[in-house]
Amino acid sequence: MAEKKIMFNDAMEQLEEIVRQLEQGDVPLEQALTLYQKGMELSKVCHDKLQNAESQLVTMMKDGKEVPIDIEMGGNAK
């Protein structure tokens, strides 16, 4: 999918623009559906990139050892 090559910040900006347009409430139904679909695709791209970043963080090296990072505990290493 071509969307996977988009940078995270670019995807977020496009997603925010779609949300802004949909929140205005004056978008025709057909265009709203198209925007919604594009937004869902961008949301998946952002989610996948965040998961990849999380995986990289979990395996970061600390003091020469791999230390798992408990993301749900505020990112502090266990």
Side-chain angles (χ1 to χ4, degrees):
M1 173 187 264
E3 294 296 332
K4 294 270 183 190
K5 297 182 183 201
I6 191 170
M7 300 293 292
F8 177 80
N9 287 346
D10 294 337
M12 280 299 296
E13 287 178 12
Q14 290 180 29
L15 186 55
E16 288 171 356
E17 175 60 23
I18 287 171
V19 169
R20 186 191 61 74
Q21 290 178 24
L22 292 174
E23 285 180 341
Q24 288 179 346
D26 59 353
V27 177
L29 177 62
E30 294 79 9
Q31 185 180 357
L33 290 172
T34 300
L35 287 171
Y36 182 82
Q37 182 177 8
K38 178 71 174 174
M40 293 301 294
E41 292 170 3
L42 289 167
S43 175
K44 182 175 181 347
V45 167
C46 290
H47 179 265
D48 290 349
K49 288 185 179 289
L50 286 173
Q51 278 197 318
N52 185 39
E54 180 181 336
S55 293
Q56 290 178 14
L57 286 173
V58 167
T59 56
M60 286 181 75
M61 302 296 284
K62 182 176 179 181
D63 297 328
K65 297 178 183 177
E66 287 189 12
V67 177
I69 298 173
D70 187 351
I71 300 297
E72 293 188 18
M73 296 299 291
N76 296 326
K78 289 183 179 178

